[in-house]
Amino acid sequence: MVIAGIVAGGSGRRMGGDIPKQFYELNGKPVIIYTTEVFLKHEKTDRIIIGINPDWADYTKALIKKYFPDNDNIFITDGGADRNETIMNMISFAKNVLSCDDRDIILTHDAVRPFVSSDIISESIAVMDECEICTAAIPETDTVIESEDGKTALAFPDRSRIFRVQTPQTFRLGTFADVYGSLSEQERAAATDVCRLYKSKGYSVILINGDPSNIKLTYLQDYRFAQAQTDDKT
């Protein structure tokens, strides 16, 4: 089984709004609905699980009922204190409620990346025949500076070796549970990214082709770009 795990626990503070950014509207439709639709339309996605802050669970359920009234393959579960805990909650839901097993695949994706392509999803699934974890990524095109104080340049890493990580990040349910369960509380707090978590435990992280348009809506200017993109499609 292939699960799309949409991580939607963010508060949107950096966007500066009153509601989480996944609920901002683009041409009258919430960002999270755009994101969900991409996975819903993909022929190899069997189930979708949305991990959401419990305070917004009822609101999310109402949106799902409004936009997908006849679909019974979308599920809501509580998010955790951080990204990895939210993923663990989604995996627990998949195994305990949907009867998934350890070898089933989950594509974990940011709710606020509404422009993920079908090609990225397809490649993420296909490459799992050969690895335990993969992530979408794109080559860095700008000069990269390393700095300790944010004011002076310390080093200039070779940008030909630098990639920007996107989502989805894809892995098997059982492997994540094993890796996450082996971490101390301190390690869990430090591991903000799933790929870093896997790498710290000796796994090879495979890169697949991301896309520059697969942006994460973090700041207001990102939202303005997304609004322009959806304007072009109406």
Side-chain angles (χ1 to χ4, degrees):
M1 185 178 292
V2 175
I3 305 293
I6 299 179
V7 183
S11 64
R13 288 188 297 269
R14 283 177 289 184
M15 191 81 81
D18 296 327
I19 63 173
K21 55 194 175 183
Q22 58 266 29
F23 300 122
Y24 278 40
E25 291 192 353
L26 300 174
N27 281 301
K29 188 164 65 177
V31 169
I32 194 171
I33 298 300
Y34 281 95
T35 306
T36 302
E37 280 178 331
V38 180
F39 287 96
L40 192 61
K41 291 176 181 178
H42 196 280
E43 61 181 8
K44 292 191 176 180
T45 301
D46 298 305
R47 303 286 190 275
I48 297 172
I49 302 174
I50 301 174
I52 194 76
N53 184 312
D55 292 341
W56 290 90
D58 288 343
Y59 186 83
T60 306
K61 289 175 183 176
L63 286 178
I64 296 302
K65 185 176 181 179
K66 175 183 177 181
Y67 287 95
F68 312 111
D70 300 319
N71 192 286
D72 57 2
N73 290 321
I74 304 172
F75 303 87
I76 309 295
T77 192
D78 288 347
D82 56 30
R83 182 184 190 85
N84 289 330
E85 190 174 309
T86 295
I87 292 172
M88 193 65 248
N89 287 356
M90 291 192 292
I91 288 175
S92 296
F93 185 93
K95 295 174 74 172
N96 297 329
V97 179
L98 303 182
S99 300
C100 296
D101 64 39
D102 285 346
R103 295 300 293 168
D104 287 332
I105 293 169
I106 184 167
L107 295 88
T108 58
H109 187 69
D110 299 318
V112 289
R113 287 188 190 268
F115 303 124
V116 61
S117 70
S118 178
D119 286 345
I120 292 176
I121 296 171
S122 294
E123 188 175 359
S124 296
I125 296 169
V127 80
M128 287 304 297
D129 287 337
E130 306 167 8
C131 68
E132 290 296 334
I133 180 170
C134 68
T135 184
I138 58 174
E140 181 55 77
T141 57
D142 293 329
T143 297
V144 180
I145 295 175
E146 182 181 350
S147 176
E148 290 184 343
D149 59 8
K151 297 179 180 179
T152 56
L154 179 65
F156 292 81
D158 181 358
R159 73 180 180 193
S160 69
R161 300 177 60 188
I162 304 296
F163 288 75
R164 279 185 283 160
V165 173
Q166 300 181 331
T167 63
Q169 296 181 339
T170 307
F171 38 87
R172 300 188 187 281
L173 304 185
T175 310
F176 182 87
D178 289 343
V179 169
Y180 188 73
S182 72
L183 299 178
S184 66
E185 289 299 322
Q186 185 176 4
E187 287 175 320
R188 290 181 182 184
T192 56
D193 183 86
V194 173
C195 294
R196 181 178 297 181
L197 185 157
Y198 270 72
K199 184 65 176 175
S200 72
K201 295 300 178 180
Y203 287 91
S204 294
V205 178
I206 302 303
L207 307 185
I208 68 159
N209 294 320
D211 192 303
S213 66
N214 183 25
I215 64 168
K216 184 178 182 180
L217 307 186
T218 303
Y219 299 104
L220 186 57
Q221 58 265 36
D222 301 324
Y223 175 77
R224 289 170 177 159
F225 172 83
Q227 186 70 60
Q229 292 295 103
T230 53
D231 282 345
D232 290 341
K233 296 177 182 179
T234 58

